[in-house]
Amino acid sequence: MLDVGKWPVFALLSPEELRLVRQACVFGTAANEALYVTVTDEVFALGTNCTGCLGLGDMQSTIESRRIDILCGKKIVSLSCGTGPHVVIATADGEVYAWGHNGYSQLGNGTTNHGLTPALVSTNLINKRVTEVACGSHHTIALTSEGEVFAWGYNNSGQVGSGSTANQPTPRRVSSCLQNKVVVNIACGQLCSMAVLDNGEVTYGWGYNCNGQLGLGNNSNQQTPCRIAALQGVNIVQVVCGYAHTLALTDEGFVYAWGANSYGQLGTGSKCNQALPTLLSVDRERMVEVAACHTSHTSAAKSQSGQVLMWGHCRGQAVTLPHVTHFSSTDDVFACFATPAVTWRLLTVDGDDYLTVAQSLKREFDSPEISDLKFLVDGKCIYVHKALLKIRCEHFRALLNETDETAIEVSQFSYLVYRAFLEYLYTDTISLHPEDAVGLLDLATYYRETRLKRLCQETIKRGISEDNAITLLSAAVKYEARDLEEFCFKFCVNHLTAVTQTQAFADMDHDLLKNFISKASRYGAFKN
């Protein structure tokens, strides 16, 4: 559970105030400015208020929280801060608001006047739904729901991707190589920008490159997006930027790093810069998240089992190899070890003492104390509540209306799968390894649980690898999970050489193999 109290700027908030925090962001050159959103969608700010970056209408510092009225009820979905600092947010409605330092037009309003209150960024964004924003030192980029990228602000190194080095006063679409392509992930270093396309196969970078942070194999600045050729054939699902280095996470859980390395922030074991993506040697399970922030030289990652690793500039020390921490979140790394100790993303905070309805239900799952029904699966008991099962599942509503039994034996599914199914009814989430999720996909298909089927597919997607890709593809075909089938097929084609050497491929069903080869051929997989 995330604790915003780890950030000193929140030290003067009372326990009652801290319990109401739902989202938070810490920023500024000394991590002494903060914004937070309460459970009632009110937005507050506190701190030194440099250049009016708190959005309060003045430049007065405050150690007590003050409300930003214009943002209350807006439902912030993305937030990023520059070095000036300037602050940019995207709301659930797709609107963009910006305020703070504006010496280079990074607020996108066409002027260089500092913004003391949040103002809607509208030029060229009318009828556009922005889903994500990212700030460099003094420039801003935004991603729309249609996969377009807009950029504005400081452009001395080409970081707005316009083809020149003139500052960009209002949002301008980044086209060039990104024209007619769909971007799904964006990030900013101090003076550079990165974008990942929807198929994950292509990553682009532009802007400052003197430390090799664009991953192009050279140190030349780029004024328009340039494809990272060294990552061809590697599917990227997340990219993040530090001050002058970049981390990328692949669909198989591998981490690539490139750029500046004077503090060991690439995790290669040395302090030598790398102008090309370098695969980190992490002898542990797959990574599911990488973390970096353009204000620091610190890097972090989280593994599938929940281990958090950190490296780079860690509280004054240069840690050149990933180091396992006791933290449960990459956010904690930046709270305790980064300089300055700012947040690398918008924090989402769970309540501590107060339990929501969902949390209460989760706590009572498989608890015999007040349950009125138990399932017997593989000789083990799972304790549940009839009323909840009737509410949540049509299958159980029909079944339990016809019986007064207090114990029901199940033989069609394994204990692991059936327990995961029942737990899903209590929590709306599933926690299974991809191979086990195939069994749950079978159950979801049998019980006609559409949403559970979709969640199983997402779990399988996150856990796909060269070794299990054919097995998962076969399952997707068997259970008529079309979206998952397409995803697994593309993964197999993108990793064709390795996949065809697995035992699963050798044991592949004849008809499925025939269809796979035919479709892969049409896809161009066998062209020289």
Side-chain angles (χ1 to χ4, degrees):
M1 188 171 292
L2 196 62
D3 177 16
V4 296
K6 290 180 179 177
W7 278 268
V9 70
F10 289 118
L12 290 181
L13 263 63
S14 68
E16 291 75 19
E17 288 174 305
L18 285 173
R19 277 196 289 270
L20 294 176
V21 176
R22 191 189 70 203
Q23 295 171 296
C25 175
V26 178
F27 58 101
T29 54
N32 51 7
E33 279 135 344
L35 301 171
Y36 66 89
V37 183
T38 70
V39 293
T40 55
D41 265 323
E42 290 184 296
V43 183
F44 291 87
L46 71 159
T48 54
N49 204 15
C50 179
T51 63
C53 64
L54 296 185
L56 297 169
D58 56 46
M59 297 176 66
Q60 300 297 313
S61 63
T62 174
I63 59 174
E64 294 183 349
S65 302
R66 291 173 57 189
R67 191 170 63 182
I68 309 176
D69 292 330
I70 192 173
L71 295 182
C72 291
K74 289 293 183 183
K75 296 189 183 300
I76 298 171
V77 297
S78 181
L79 183 152
S80 189
C81 307
T83 304
H86 73 288
V87 183
V88 184
I89 67 164
T91 71
D93 292 331
E95 294 179 325
V96 177
Y97 287 82
W99 64 96
H101 190 277
N102 195 36
Y104 302 94
S105 298
Q106 59 264 50
L107 300 187
N109 59 17
T111 76
T112 54
N113 302 322
H114 297 330
L116 300 183
T117 57
L120 184 66
V121 182
S122 57
T123 304
N124 296 330
L125 294 180
I126 295 296
N127 299 323
K128 299 292 182 182
R129 186 183 182 90
V130 172
T131 58
E132 186 180 355
V133 292
C135 296
S137 64
H138 299 90
H139 78 287
T140 307
I141 62 176
L143 176 64
T144 73
S145 58
E146 296 177 337
E148 302 166 307
V149 177
F150 287 80
W152 59 94
Y154 195 35
N155 193 37
N156 67 325
S157 304
Q159 56 265 48
V160 302
S162 62
S164 75
T165 54
N167 293 346
Q168 178 62 38
T170 55
R172 174 191 178 278
R173 186 177 175 190
V174 181
S175 51
S176 184
C177 295
L178 298 184
Q179 190 73 35
N180 300 320
K181 292 182 172 65
V182 178
V183 173
V184 293
N185 181 214
I186 56 174
C188 288
Q190 276 277 298
L191 299 168
C192 70
S193 306
M194 305 293 299
V196 178
L197 298 193
D198 60 341
N199 60 8
E201 297 174 33
V202 185
T203 305
Y204 287 86
W206 61 98
Y208 190 73
N209 193 37
C210 288
N211 295 289
Q213 55 262 61
L214 299 186
L216 304 175
N218 60 52
N219 297 103
S220 302
N221 294 348
Q222 299 292 326
Q223 296 177 9
T224 56
C226 189
R227 179 176 179 173
I228 303 178
L231 290 178
Q232 184 171 355
V234 177
N235 290 336
I236 303 300
V237 294
Q238 183 198 4
V239 64
V240 292
C241 294
Y243 187 94
H245 76 287
T246 307
L247 303 176
L249 178 67
T250 77
D251 60 351
E252 290 193 283
F254 296 119
V255 179
Y256 284 85
W258 60 92
N261 197 30
S262 55
Y263 295 93
Q265 58 264 48
L266 300 187
T268 59
S270 76
K271 294 184 180 180
C272 299
N273 292 0
Q274 298 289 337
L276 285 171
T278 302
L279 180 63
L280 267 63
S281 178
V282 181
D283 297 327
R284 299 174 182 87
E285 64 185 296
R286 68 191 298 153
M287 297 296 130
V288 295
E289 179 179 87
V290 287
C293 180
H294 74 85
T295 58
S296 69
H297 310 284
T298 306
S299 302
K302 187 173 184 177
S303 74
Q304 193 170 41
S305 69
Q307 278 192 326
V308 173
L309 298 84
M310 71 178 186
W311 62 97
H313 192 214
C314 299
R315 203 183 278 175
Q317 297 186 59
V319 179
T320 61
L321 287 170
H323 177 82
V324 177
T325 71
H326 66 277
F327 298 130
S328 59
S329 165
T330 54
D331 301 298
D332 292 343
V333 171
F334 290 85
C336 301
F337 282 90
T339 305
V342 302
T343 51
W344 73 275
R345 61 179 171 186
L346 180 63
L347 302 177
T348 300
V349 186
D350 289 325
D352 192 3
D353 296 338
Y354 173 74
L355 288 178
T356 64
V357 172
Q359 290 167 334
S360 298
L361 291 176
K362 181 178 181 179
R363 187 174 64 174
E364 292 303 323
F365 170 67
D366 202 13
S367 173
E369 188 176 350
I370 60 171
S371 72
D372 55 2
L373 176 66
K374 65 181 178 182
F375 286 94
L376 305 174
V377 190
D378 295 341
K380 302 175 184 177
C381 294
I382 308 170
Y383 296 93
V384 291
H385 306 79
K386 290 181 180 179
L388 185 138
L389 267 54
K390 288 181 181 180
I391 291 170
R392 294 281 288 147
C393 179
E394 286 294 331
H395 167 78
F396 287 128
R397 180 174 297 183
L399 174 68
L400 298 176
N401 281 339
E402 297 174 358
T403 180
D404 293 325
E405 296 289 335
T406 57
I408 299 175
E409 189 167 355
V410 175
S411 58
Q412 187 174 353
F413 302 100
S414 70
Y415 171 80
L416 185 69
V417 165
Y418 212 75
R419 189 182 192 281
F421 169 49
L422 295 173
E423 186 174 16
Y424 157 76
L425 297 179
Y426 278 74
T427 65
D428 265 334
T429 61
I430 60 174
S431 54
L432 282 175
H433 287 295
E435 291 81 359
D436 296 322
V438 171
L440 189 57
L441 180 61
D442 181 20
L443 183 149
T445 305
Y446 180 79
Y447 284 161
R448 298 181 181 179
E449 287 287 335
T450 305
R451 184 175 182 275
L452 177 59
K453 189 173 180 178
R454 188 168 64 248
L455 284 176
C456 290
Q457 293 181 60
E458 291 304 316
T459 298
I460 293 169
K461 285 180 182 180
R462 289 197 297 270
I464 195 169
S465 67
E466 293 169 350
D467 291 330
N468 66 17
I470 290 296
T471 302
L472 300 182
L473 173 63
S474 301
V477 173
K478 178 179 178 181
Y479 300 121
E480 299 181 349
R482 303 302 182 196
D483 179 60
L484 177 61
E485 178 185 345
E486 189 65 20
F487 177 88
C488 292
F489 170 77
K490 287 183 178 180
F491 182 93
C492 289
V493 170
N494 290 330
H495 300 268
L496 190 61
T497 301
V499 166
T500 55
Q501 294 174 354
T502 63
Q503 187 61 43
F505 186 83
D507 298 337
M508 200 172 180
D509 174 80
H510 176 75
D511 290 337
L512 181 59
L513 175 61
K514 183 179 176 181
N515 291 335
F516 175 79
I517 293 174
S518 175
K519 187 176 179 181
S521 180
R522 294 195 302 272
Y523 198 79
F526 304 115
K527 292 181 180 179
N528 292 328

